[in-house]
């Protein structure tokens, strides 16, 4: 046989061998993909079963189902690992989908092996009442016992969440794009909850006076008269913490702190220009959307008027109290039954209609605050429901906390409970919509609104074009006269029956606001700067039943190509806050 013929045969054999190897690799890859897919589907079924069993209170069965969940998630992770999958990540176009499946499998394996057991243990502890206050005291030893596991779980889910964030869901093939997008949303919620839980476990012992007594100002904001962070600081109290025991002392209102003949603190120039009265009038101290700034002003006012140097400020509103009452059950206040369904209308509307004496109104608020506080601290009712309500309140920015201790405030900063106005957030553009009442009544009880933001354009320099909107509706009845002046206002600042307020829309840090429209018609933009944000200002007045829509176009700063976060003033309607919207740069 000629040499050339032998070489041809050898080449054919090599080619056939390579084809067979490639075929084997493809078959192996397909088999691994199919088995991984089946494992992920089984893991999803197991996750639903775990959730159902936990809700039923069957923790033994939930633990068994969790073991199955962990096994299937680990199997999926194992099937999508190794050099074959690592090589597949580099295949043009399809590689990003292969990489996404790898990441998802790894993330789910981590979540089920590290986070799920801790979540199950915490849920079971809540069900047993492990952290339930007894005689006004929280068992700090039980908190400290679980803290290392909670911290480890938070660190694991934070890393897993960041790995998921690196995936551009919009660039994947169907159904991976939908699956990854939903998983990113779920992990975003889980990261927030996990971080909040870890922060609470880390800080709770010291903030509840384990190492020495602490005093806090409790501020109950009244969204019937809106302020940027929620509402007028209507009811105030001093909380004393010592050795895990929390008690309520002095009670009063913003009126008890006033008047101040001059500003109690020197405000930054941009804050002073926009919210000049906040340092002089306790009713206006939270005109700013930065709760930490408002809390520092409140601390100085309290020190001057009642001589208490508080270690921090805690803020809630009646909607948050309603969530708490869903756990504690009804309470009796001045002959009235307050429930989760009735506490909001009673505190924010009916008391003003039925009681024309301001002292009587304040007395009812004090009694309600004291009674609900005692119900919570006595461990009344379902701890699980109460804690769930606290979590919902925090996610809606109805519960906020500021600490005067720098090391504690550093831990709180950036979390939902801090209520701080964001500064530079890197690639994440953060937009805000904030409302301050201009009626000087309790008309905002009848104000409903919903907010949204959409990323409409990804620009060459990594900035984005955004469209932020807020839709308002007055639910004020046409026959409003019986409501009286405490609800309607005196008519000095707005005609009775009309809801008047000032809207401020904050662009992302370093970004610009380019235009504004009201009900589709162009409106001039009065803009200012606050902590690096450009701010559009618009006074709004609504007659009974009137609706209006405000839309603002803006451009983010260079490099802000991540998902968009929207914050807003929490009002009468329950709604999530700090909501993320998909980037236009996916």
């Amino acid at each position: 046989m000629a040499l050339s013929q032998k070489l041809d045969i050898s080449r054919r054999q090599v080619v056939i061998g390579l084809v067979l190897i490639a075929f084997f690799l493809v078959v192996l890859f397909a088999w691994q993909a199919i088995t991984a897919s089946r494992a992920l589907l089984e893991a999803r079924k197991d996750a639903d079963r775990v959730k159902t069993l936990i809700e039923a209170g069957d923790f033994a069965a939930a633990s068994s189902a969790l073991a199955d969940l962990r096994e299937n998630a680990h199997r999926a992770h194992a099937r999508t690992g190794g050099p074959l999958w690592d090589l597949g990540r580099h295949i043009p176009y399809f590689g990003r989908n292969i990489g996404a499946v790898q990441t998802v499998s790894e993330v789910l394996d981590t979540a089920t092996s590290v986070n799920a057991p801790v979540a199950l243990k915490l849920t079971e502890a809540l069900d047993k009442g492990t952290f339930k206050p007894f005689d006004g005291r929280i068992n700090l030893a039980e908190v400290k016992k679980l803290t290392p596991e909670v911290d480890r779980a938070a660190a694991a889910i934070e890393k897993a969440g960041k790995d998921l964030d690196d995936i551009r869901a919009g660039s994947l093939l169907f159904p991976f794009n939908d699956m990854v997008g939903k998983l990113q949303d779920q992990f975003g919620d889980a990261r927030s909850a996990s971080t909040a839980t870890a922060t609470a476990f880390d800080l709770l012992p010291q903030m509840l006076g384990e190492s020495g007594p602490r005093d806090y100002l409790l501020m109950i904001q009244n969204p019937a008269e809106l302020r940027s962070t929620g509402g007028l600081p209507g009811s105030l109290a001093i909380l004393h913490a010592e050795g895990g025991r929390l008690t309520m002392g002095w009670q009063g209102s913003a009126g008890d702190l006033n008047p101040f003949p001059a500003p109690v603190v020197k405000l930054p120039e941009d804050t002073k220009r926009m919210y000049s009265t906040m340092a002089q009038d306790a009713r206006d101290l939270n005109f700013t959307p930065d709760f930490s700034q408002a809390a520092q002003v409140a601390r100085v006012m309290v020190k001057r008027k009642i001589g208490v140097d508080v270690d921090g400020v805690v803020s809630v509103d009646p909607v948050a109290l309603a969530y708490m009452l869903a756990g504690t059950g009804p309470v009796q206040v001045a002959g009235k039954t307050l429930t989760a369904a009735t506490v909001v209308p009673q505190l924010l509307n009916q008391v003003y209609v039925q009681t024309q004496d301001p002292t009587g109104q304040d007395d009812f608020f004090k009694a309600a605050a004291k009674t609900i506080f005692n119900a919570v601290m006595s461990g009344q009712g379902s701890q699980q429901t109460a804690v769930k309500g606290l979590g919902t309140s925090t996610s809606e920015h109805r519960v906020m906390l500021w600490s005067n201790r720098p090391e504690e405030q550093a831990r709180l900063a950036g979390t939902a409970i801090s209520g701080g106005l964001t500064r530079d957030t890197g690639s994440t553009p953060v937009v805000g919509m904030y409302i301050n009442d201009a009626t000087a009544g309790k008309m905002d009880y009848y104000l409903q609104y919903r907010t949204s933001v959409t990323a409409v354009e990804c620009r060459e320099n990594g900035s984005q074009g955004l469209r932020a909107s807020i839709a308002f509706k007055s639910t004020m009845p046409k026959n409003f006269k019986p409501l009286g002046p405490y609800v309607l206002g005196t008519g000095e600042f707005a005609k009775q029956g009309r809801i008047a307020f000032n809207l401020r829309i904050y662009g992302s840090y370093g970004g610009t606001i380019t235009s504004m429209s009201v009900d589709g018609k162009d409106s001039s933009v009065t803009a200012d700067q606050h902590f690096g944000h450009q701010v559009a200002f618009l006074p709004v007045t609504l007659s009974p039943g009137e609706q209006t829509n405000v839309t603002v176009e803006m451009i983010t700063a260079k490099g802000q190509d991540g998902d968009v976060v929207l914050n807003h003033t929490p009002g009468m309607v329950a709604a999530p806050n700090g909501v993320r919207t998909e980037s236009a740069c996916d």
Side-chain angles (χ1 to χ4, degrees), residues 250-291:
W250 173 89
Q251 288 184 267
S253 67
D256 293 319
L257 299 183
N258 283 339
F260 293 97
V264 299
V265 298
K266 184 178 181 180
L267 296 173
E269 284 302 316
D270 53 357
T271 304
K272 180 180 178 181
R273 189 169 55 249
M274 296 173 64
Y275 310 111
S276 59
T277 62
M278 64 171 283
Q280 194 169 346
D281 189 332
R283 296 168 299 181
D284 299 343
L285 62 85
N286 54 340
F287 267 179
T288 173
D290 187 0
F291 178 72

Side-chain angles (χ1 to χ4, degrees), residues 42-72 111-112 115-121 123-124 384:
E42 289 301 316
R44 183 173 182 176
K45 294 177 183 177
D46 293 335
D48 291 338
R49 191 155 57 97
V50 170
K51 181 180 178 182
T52 300
L53 291 169
I54 287 175
E55 290 173 347
D58 190 347
F59 293 99
S63 182
S64 175
L66 177 59
D68 294 338
L69 171 60
R70 293 172 67 176
E71 182 180 346
N72 281 314
T112 54
N115 297 89
V118 176
L120 180 62
K121 186 177 291 188
T123 305
E124 188 171 7
Q384 261 191 318

Side-chain angles (χ1 to χ4, degrees), residues 389-557:
L390 182 61
T392 302
S393 301
T394 303
S395 70
E396 294 184 6
H397 295 184
R398 299 183 187 278
V399 175
M400 290 174 282
L401 172 63
W402 170 80
S403 173
N404 191 44
R405 309 291 176 99
E407 68 280 3
E408 294 173 358
Q409 184 58 25
R411 285 293 309 273
L412 295 171
T415 64
I417 203 170
S418 72
L421 181 64
T422 60
R423 309 305 198 264
D424 188 354
T425 49
S427 63
T428 302
V430 181
V431 177
M433 296 183 169
Y434 304 106
I435 301 168
N436 283 303
D437 177 79
T439 309
K442 298 298 181 286
M443 293 286 286
D444 299 325
Y445 179 81
Y446 299 96
L447 178 64
Q448 295 184 1
Y449 51 89
R450 63 182 186 275
T451 61
S452 65
V453 65
T454 304
V456 295
E457 178 189 16
C458 182
R459 300 161 68 89
E460 290 184 1
N461 63 356
S463 66
Q464 298 184 69
L466 307 179
R467 180 176 298 121
S469 299
I470 184 165
F472 295 101
K473 179 182 180 181
S474 168
T475 62
M476 171 62 58
K478 291 184 178 180
N479 181 25
F480 53 77
K481 286 294 183 182
L483 295 174
Y486 286 103
V487 174
L488 301 172
T490 62
E492 179 182 357
F493 302 102
K495 187 176 179 180
Q496 286 191 333
R498 294 182 179 178
I499 304 174
F501 54 90
N502 294 320
L503 169 67
R504 284 184 171 88
I505 299 179
Y506 279 61
S508 66
Y509 182 89
T512 56
I513 294 174
T514 57
S515 66
M516 178 165 59
S517 63
V518 179
D519 295 327
K521 297 179 180 179
D522 290 342
S523 176
S524 60
V525 179
T526 302
D528 214 320
Q529 289 284 332
H530 193 208
F531 291 157
H533 296 262
Q534 192 172 55
V535 185
F537 172 81
L538 182 71
V540 180
T541 302
L542 297 176
S543 298
E546 187 178 2
Q547 301 182 47
T548 192
N549 295 276
V550 181
T551 300
V552 171
E553 304 285 342
M554 57 184 75
I555 299 173
T556 72

Side-chain angles (χ1 to χ4, degrees), residues 41-212:
L41 288 173
E42 289 301 316
R44 183 173 182 176
K45 294 177 183 177
D46 293 335
D48 291 338
R49 191 155 57 97
V50 170
K51 181 180 178 182
T52 300
L53 291 169
I54 287 175
E55 290 173 347
D58 190 347
F59 293 99
S63 182
S64 175
L66 177 59
D68 294 338
L69 171 60
R70 293 172 67 176
E71 182 180 346
N72 281 314
H74 183 70
R75 183 182 299 119
H77 184 200
R79 291 288 185 268
T80 57
L84 188 59
W85 282 77
D86 291 339
L87 182 64
R89 297 176 74 111
H90 301 288
I91 298 174
Y93 187 65
F94 292 104
R96 67 183 65 171
N97 296 277
I98 294 171
V101 172
Q102 272 191 307
T103 301
V104 167
S105 298
E106 181 180 1
V107 161
L108 290 178
D109 190 17
T110 299
T112 54
S113 62
V114 179
N115 297 89
V118 176
L120 180 62
K121 186 177 291 188
L122 281 174
T123 305
E124 188 171 7
L126 285 172
D127 186 70
K128 292 178 178 178
T130 302
F131 309 116
K132 181 178 286 190
F134 178 75
D135 192 26
R137 187 188 301 274
I138 294 174
N139 190 335
L140 298 181
E142 291 293 338
V143 173
K144 295 176 74 173
K145 185 189 298 183
L146 277 173
T147 296
E149 290 183 75
V150 171
D151 285 345
R152 186 168 63 253
I157 203 166
E158 179 66 20
K159 180 187 180 303
K162 286 181 177 178
D163 290 342
L164 273 179
D165 286 346
D166 290 338
I167 302 175
R168 295 291 193 185
S171 66
L172 302 178
L173 294 171
F174 181 82
F176 296 126
N177 55 352
D178 186 53
M179 178 187 73
V180 172
K182 288 180 179 178
L183 195 62
Q184 286 173 330
D185 290 341
Q186 292 168 347
F187 261 75
D189 294 340
R191 285 166 73 183
S192 297
S194 183
T195 299
T197 303
T199 301
F201 271 68
D202 289 341
L203 295 183
L204 203 60
Q206 61 202 59
M207 295 192 79
L208 286 182
E210 182 186 51
S211 303

